[in-house]
């Protein structure tokens, strides 16, 4: 059983929902990312999604694009992303880490090298936004033998026929996209989401978490109530945008920056 | 002109190395569908509808009718006599896409895609634009069909192409300035993809070049292939044989693939795709991924790209906004790898010289994009004999570029 599956199974046993924050690796700097990750765990994060910065993140909204731009300006490369995970693992061997990003940097590094490096660093899962199920075979052939979970997005527009092929390629958890749009937009129709989740439950035993548009305790409560957990990205990256790359921050200060995660933890624990 | 044959009407032709793409949009190892999950359903729907409509003669009849009465096709194949004498060697013939309504080849594609939008019942269209030609062509067709139109354009390009921005506004389109990234064509495309993901139910995305996720590279090629079909027929009519060489500029590559594709099986016809060499390919400041890039994935397809060593897309440089793009249509990547087309580059300086030469010697002001093709054709012609001839795709006219050229000349207009 993978670290992701174990984590979610343990939460389910306790009747708890998974809380999965997303931050961009290297935003605003490599050392601050490691500190932020520990602060997230201290605030109740169960799994961390770490964005691999890309120059052209066309599935993301403005907030996450700006985060990626800050990380790239700081010189962040894939090797830095591995180094961040490795350093995090020195103090935390329990919290699963999912790398999320776009294919091109991985393509340039080479699939085998990438797979070797993420395993060595202690990565648990991979979500490539612009790699649909029918193009994934080659990359997955490289990462699967390393025990890496391969996570997929399901969108409101995903056809029933595609659901089957996505679910058969997906391990760890299924990421349900709450809305038609990009990260950071606003959720408008939670009834439709509920119906789609119910449909997905018939197709797959995978845990289903919801992301895109969860920005406060209210939206997190609503989405957590109908799923196995929630992902919080843009709202967090927006708060991180106030940090300066060249400054050092106390644990307390970083705890305040990611305080939203603590609030959401407390709220969804009432479910 | 006699009846023109569309590629899709020749679908029964035996499969060979030029019959791509496959069902998932692959040209060899290039192309494919690499977009976020939200957009997959939209590209699959488009593929299904295009596959169906492209077999329907009524669809092509409507397309041909628009090209004839609205665009003004066929565009002439013109012998540039003084230019030929100047360069020496092979005859230079210009395929006059600059004479199309709206001033460039871009309209061929927007007519086709707007017809698809109409069949799909989408009331809203979006487009990305670099030089503004595709934006103008999209705004034009939107005005004609009464569709709502949003054009994404990099803030940098809005500065460079203010006349086209105003034309789009006159036509009733909303021009949205893109401030992210390098603020040029690639960023406009990112923003258009975001809009599409958000408004996918009522919106048709008219991609302006033969790139993007499948089926765009294929359908843009099919719509632009009218250029090559006409040129082939005109060549046979006017000269009794096929040309010795074809030359076209390549940014995303829609005018080039449109000219080349109907000739791909004619092995005696040499082909040259001319990329934007900017300050020179050796300087790194250019927009020539086929000359100096490597395969990667951007904007929905696998193709040659200009990325840095860590796979981040690089900022490109070209005097012509329409060629200022770090990728290229996937079919060009394939044609490069199999060696069917030669990809070369012309620098800003060479293009500007050709711009002036064509203007002064033939009374034709070419787009700076097309000037790259003219520049290379001049060099090529000089190496060939006077009984040979070259067809150059004069993909657009240069009215939009006079401010850029004046500025380079230090003149205020």
């Amino acid at each position: 059983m993978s670290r992701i599956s174990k984590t979610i199974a343990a939460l389910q046993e306790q009747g708890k929902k998974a809380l999965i924050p997303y931050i961009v690796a290297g935003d605003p700097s490599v050392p601050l990312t490691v500190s932020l990750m520990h602060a997230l765990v201290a605030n109740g994060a169960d799994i961390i999604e770490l964005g691999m910065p890309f120059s052209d993140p066309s599935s993301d909204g403005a907030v996450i694009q700006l985060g990626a731009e800050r990380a790239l300006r700081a010189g962040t490369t894939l090797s830095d992303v591995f180094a961040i995970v490795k350093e995090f693992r020195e103090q935390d061997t329990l919290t699963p880490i999912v790398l999320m990003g776009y294919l091109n940097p991985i393509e340039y590094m080479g699939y085998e090298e990438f797979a070797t490096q993420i395993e060595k660093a202690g990565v648990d899962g991979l979500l490539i936004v612009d790699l649909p199920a029918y193009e994934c075979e080659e990359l997955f052939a490289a990462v699967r033998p390393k025990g890496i979970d391969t996570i997929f997005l399901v969108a409101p527009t995903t056809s029933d026929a595609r659901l089957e092929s996505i679910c058969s390629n997906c391990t760890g958890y299924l990421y349900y996209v709450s809305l038609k749009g990009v990260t950071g937009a606003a959720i408008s129709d939670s009834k439709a989401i509920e119906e789609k989740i119910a449909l997905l439950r018939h197709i797959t035993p995978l845990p289903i978490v919801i992301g895109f548009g969860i920005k406060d305790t209210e939206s997190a409560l609503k989405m957590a109530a109908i799923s196995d957990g929630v992902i919080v990205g843009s709202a967090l990256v927006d708060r991180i945008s106030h940090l300066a790359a060249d400054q050092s921050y106390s644990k307390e200060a970083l705890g305040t920056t990611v305080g939203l995660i603590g609030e959401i933890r407390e709220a969804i624990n009432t479910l | 002109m006699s009846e023109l044959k569309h590629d899709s009407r020749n679908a029964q032709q035996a499969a060979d190395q030029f019959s791509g793409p496959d069902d998932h949009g692959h040209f060899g190892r290039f192309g494919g569908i690499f977009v976020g999950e939200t957009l997959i359903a939209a590209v699959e729907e488009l593929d299904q509808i295009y596959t169906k409509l492209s077999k329907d003669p009524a669809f092509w009849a409507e397309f041909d009718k628009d090209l004839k009465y609205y665009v003004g096709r066929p565009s002439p194949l013109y012998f540039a006599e003084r230019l030929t004498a100047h360069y020496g060697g092979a005859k230079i013939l210009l395929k006059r896409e600059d004479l199309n309504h709206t001033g460039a080849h871009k309209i061929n594609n927007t007519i086709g895609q707007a017809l698809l939008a109409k069949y799909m019942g989408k009331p809203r269209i979006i487009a990305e634009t670099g030089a503004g030609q595709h934006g103008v062509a999209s705004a034009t067709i939107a005005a004609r069909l009464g569709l709502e139109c949003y054009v994404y354009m990099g803030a940098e390009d809005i500065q460079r192409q203010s006349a086209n921005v105003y034309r789009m506004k006159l036509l009733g389109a909303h021009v949205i300035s893109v401030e992210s990234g390098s603020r040029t064509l690639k960023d406009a495309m990112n923003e258009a993809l975001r809009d599409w993901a958000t408004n996918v139910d009522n919106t048709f995305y008219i991609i302006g070049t033969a790139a993007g996720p499948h089926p765009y590279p294929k359908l843009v090629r099919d719509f632009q292939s009218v250029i090559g079909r006409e040129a082939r027929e005109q060549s046979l009519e006017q000269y009794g044989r096929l040309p010795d060489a074809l030359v076209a500029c390549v940014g995303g590559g829609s005018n080039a693939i449109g000219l080349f594709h109907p000739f791909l099986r004619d092995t005696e016809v040499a082909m040259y795709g001319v990329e934007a060499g900017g300050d020179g390919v050796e300087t790194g400041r250019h927009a020539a991924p086929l000359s100096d890039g490597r395969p990667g994935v951007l904007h929905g397809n696998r193709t040659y790209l200009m990325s840095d060593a860590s796979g981040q897309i690089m900022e490109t440089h070209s005097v012509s906004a329409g060629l200022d793009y770090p990728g290229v249509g996937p079919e060009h990547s394939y044609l490069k790898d199999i060696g069917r087309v030669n990809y070369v580059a012309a620098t800003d300086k060479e293009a500007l010289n050709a711009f002036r030469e064509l203007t002064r010697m033939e009374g034709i002001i070419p787009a700076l994009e097309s000037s790259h093709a003219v520049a290379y054709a001049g060099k090529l012609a000089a190496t060939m004999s006077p009984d040979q001839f070259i067809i150059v795709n004069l993909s657009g006219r240069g009215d939009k570029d006079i401010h850029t050229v004046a500025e380079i000349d230090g003149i205020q207009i």
Side-chain angles (χ1 to χ4, degrees):
Chain A
M1 212 183 203
S2 74
R3 190 150 39 193
I4 293 173
S5 302
K6 261 189 238 162
T7 301
I8 297 182
L11 286 166
Q12 284 173 332
E13 214 162 284
Q14 301 164 42
K16 284 169 78 179
K17 305 293 185 178
L19 174 54
I20 310 177
Y22 166 99
I23 60 174
V24 180
D27 170 28
S29 73
V30 167
L32 272 174
T33 300
V34 179
S35 308
L36 282 166
M37 289 166 77
H38 290 305
L40 289 169
V41 175
N43 272 272
D46 299 304
I47 296 171
I48 294 174
E49 282 190 354
L50 197 54
M52 298 177 278
F54 181 49
S55 53
D56 292 77
S58 55
S59 291
D60 284 297
V63 171
I64 289 178
Q65 168 149 26
L66 288 172
E69 283 176 11
R70 287 190 296 272
L72 292 174
R73 260 203 309 277
T76 313
T77 64
L78 273 184
S79 303
D80 295 316
V81 178
F82 308 146
I84 287 169
V85 178
K86 216 178 274 177
E87 200 185 328
F88 175 79
R89 281 273 170 261
E90 285 170 14
Q91 287 179 53
D92 187 328
T93 55
L94 293 176
T95 309
I97 294 174
V98 173
L99 295 187
M100 183 167 176
Y102 295 78
L103 189 58
N104 198 52
I106 299 172
E107 188 117 332
Y108 268 52
M109 169 164 279
Y111 294 168
E112 284 301 330
E113 172 70 7
F114 177 77
T116 305
Q117 293 293 341
I118 59 175
E119 184 196 27
K120 236 201 275 176
V123 170
D124 300 284
L126 191 60
L127 198 179
I128 306 302
V129 182
D130 57 352
L131 185 67
Y134 39 61
E135 300 278 1
C136 69
E137 213 170 291
E138 209 183 319
L139 176 62
F140 285 11
V143 300
R144 283 248 171 87
K146 315 281 189 194
I148 304 291
D149 277 319
T150 51
I151 294 155
F152 276 88
L153 300 172
V154 168
T157 51
T158 304
S159 67
D160 293 354
R162 280 183 58 73
L163 283 180
E164 308 262 345
S165 97
I166 290 174
C167 291
S168 68
N169 279 295
C170 184
T171 65
Y173 56 84
L174 200 63
Y175 185 140
Y176 186 73
V177 176
S178 68
L179 48 85
K180 291 175 191 157
V182 293
T183 51
I187 297 174
S188 59
D189 189 354
S190 50
K191 186 85 196 127
I193 300 171
E194 201 172 343
E195 281 164 16
K196 196 80 175 210
I197 302 274
L199 173 73
L200 282 167
R201 296 285 191 204
H202 287 289
I203 298 172
T204 177
L206 283 167
I208 301 168
V209 302
I210 302 180
F212 283 39
I214 296 171
K215 53 170 136 256
D216 49 24
T217 51
E218 193 195 343
S219 48
L221 264 173
K222 246 192 223 166
M223 293 299 111
I226 57 171
S227 68
D228 299 305
V230 290
I231 297 160
V232 183
S234 296
L236 195 54
V237 174
D238 191 36
R239 284 164 171 80
I240 290 170
S241 72
H242 300 295
L243 300 177
D246 51 0
Q247 221 170 298
S248 59
Y249 295 89
S250 66
K251 249 188 193 158
E252 292 70 37
L254 293 182
T256 308
T257 300
V258 304
L260 174 68
I261 295 302
E263 289 163 30
I264 291 178
R265 172 86 271 165
E266 218 172 284
I268 63 174
N269 277 353
T270 64
L271 286 171
Chain B
M1 289 199 93
S2 60
E3 180 66 16
L4 293 172
K5 284 230 159 68
H6 287 277
D7 291 327
S8 39
R9 292 176 194 165
N10 297 341
Q12 58 275 34
Q13 194 160 19
D16 65 7
Q17 59 179 335
F18 303 121
S19 54
D22 69 14
D23 289 345
H24 283 113
H26 298 110
F27 301 90
R29 63 181 170 140
F30 299 104
I33 299 176
F34 295 89
V35 291
E37 182 58 32
T38 307
L39 289 178
I40 296 279
V43 296
E44 284 185 345
E45 183 195 12
L46 179 59
D47 186 36
Q48 281 162 12
I49 287 189
Y50 181 64
T51 302
K52 187 169 145 257
L53 284 176
S54 64
K55 291 178 187 135
D56 181 356
F59 175 77
W60 292 114
E62 199 174 347
F63 178 67
D64 289 345
K65 192 174 146 206
D66 280 354
L67 290 185
K68 183 172 176 186
Y69 295 103
Y70 190 66
V71 176
R73 302 203 71 93
S75 67
L77 184 65
Y78 165 77
F79 173 36
E81 204 169 348
R82 290 190 66 212
L83 198 71
T84 297
H86 173 71
Y87 291 135
K91 279 193 190 72
I92 294 177
L93 308 177
L94 304 175
K95 180 61 176 161
R96 298 289 309 274
E97 292 299 298
D98 60 314
L99 293 177
N100 291 341
H101 179 44
T102 72
H105 72 291
K106 293 288 186 188
I107 191 83
N108 303 326
N109 169 48
T110 51
I111 295 264
Q113 289 198 48
L115 275 180
L116 292 176
K118 201 175 89 175
Y119 276 97
M120 292 170 83
K122 307 276 189 189
R124 179 176 182 272
I125 62 171
I126 56 171
E128 84 293 335
T129 197
Q133 290 303 103
H134 174 59
V136 168
S138 299
T140 298
I141 202 69
R144 176 163 175 252
L145 296 176
L147 303 172
E148 207 185 350
C149 179
Y150 289 81
V151 179
Y152 289 90
M153 188 166 183
E156 180 96 357
D157 291 336
I158 285 183
Q159 291 275 326
R160 288 197 273 192
Q161 302 288 348
S162 54
N164 268 345
V165 174
Y166 187 57
R167 286 167 82 192
M168 288 184 261
K169 287 182 179 165
L170 281 175
L171 289 159
H174 307 270
V175 180
I176 301 163
S177 173
V178 176
E179 308 281 348
S180 58
S182 61
R183 310 178 350 144
T184 58
L185 180 55
K186 81 173 175 76
D187 309 285
M189 198 152 177
N190 290 334
E191 219 47 52
L193 285 166
R194 290 175 180 135
D195 179 313
W196 199 25
T198 308
N199 302 295
V200 62
D201 292 332
N202 72 345
T203 297
F204 188 100
Y205 180 14
I206 301 189
I207 294 186
T209 192
H214 176 68
Y216 282 102
K218 171 182 154 142
L219 62 88
V220 174
R221 174 199 74 196
D222 290 353
F223 295 144
Q224 292 294 2
S225 288
V226 65
I227 303 171
R229 285 193 307 271
E230 283 179 6
R232 201 170 184 286
E233 187 142 327
Q234 289 163 327
S235 179
L236 292 170
E237 260 172 31
Q238 293 170 221
Y239 296 88
R241 65 179 185 88
L242 295 179
D244 297 284
L246 304 175
V247 181
C249 66
V250 178
S254 70
N255 88 80
I257 202 70
L259 176 65
F260 295 166
H261 197 263
F263 290 93
L264 285 176
R265 294 182 176 89
D266 301 312
T267 47
E268 70 272 32
V269 181
M271 299 184 191
Y272 299 86
V274 188
E275 295 192 296
D279 291 346
V281 170
E282 69 289 349
T283 67
R285 274 178 53 79
H286 58 78
L290 291 167
S291 307
D292 187 35
R294 53 174 273 201
V297 172
L298 178 70
H299 292 153
N301 66 97
R302 180 175 281 121
T303 192
Y304 278 88
L305 293 178
M306 289 183 52
S307 299
D308 66 16
S310 22
Q312 306 298 341
I313 307 304
M314 279 162 48
E315 286 188 21
T316 51
H317 169 78
S318 171
V319 69
S320 81
L323 300 181
D324 214 349
Y325 181 68
V328 61
E331 194 163 8
H332 286 295
S333 292
Y334 173 69
L335 293 171
K336 170 190 161 77
D337 275 15
I338 64 168
R340 178 63 185 97
V341 178
N342 304 292
Y343 292 93
V344 295
T347 62
D348 285 355
K349 212 174 146 205
E350 290 170 322
L352 283 162
N353 282 340
F355 175 93
R356 294 178 213 282
E357 285 165 345
L358 187 58
T359 300
R360 288 294 178 92
M361 284 177 223
E362 299 288 347
I364 297 171
I365 303 179
L368 283 174
E369 290 76 13
S370 322
S371 301
H372 287 73
V374 176
Y376 187 78
K379 282 203 264 188
L380 180 67
T383 68
M384 294 166 66
S385 75
D387 56 355
Q388 293 184 297
F389 68 96
I390 301 171
I391 295 180
V392 180
N393 200 1
L394 198 68
S395 55
R397 62 174 173 243
D399 307 37
K400 68 182 175 55
D401 294 314
I402 56 173
H403 283 93
T404 305
V405 176
E407 202 181 299
I408 290 166
D409 288 344
I411 295 166
Q412 219 176 352
I413 49 176

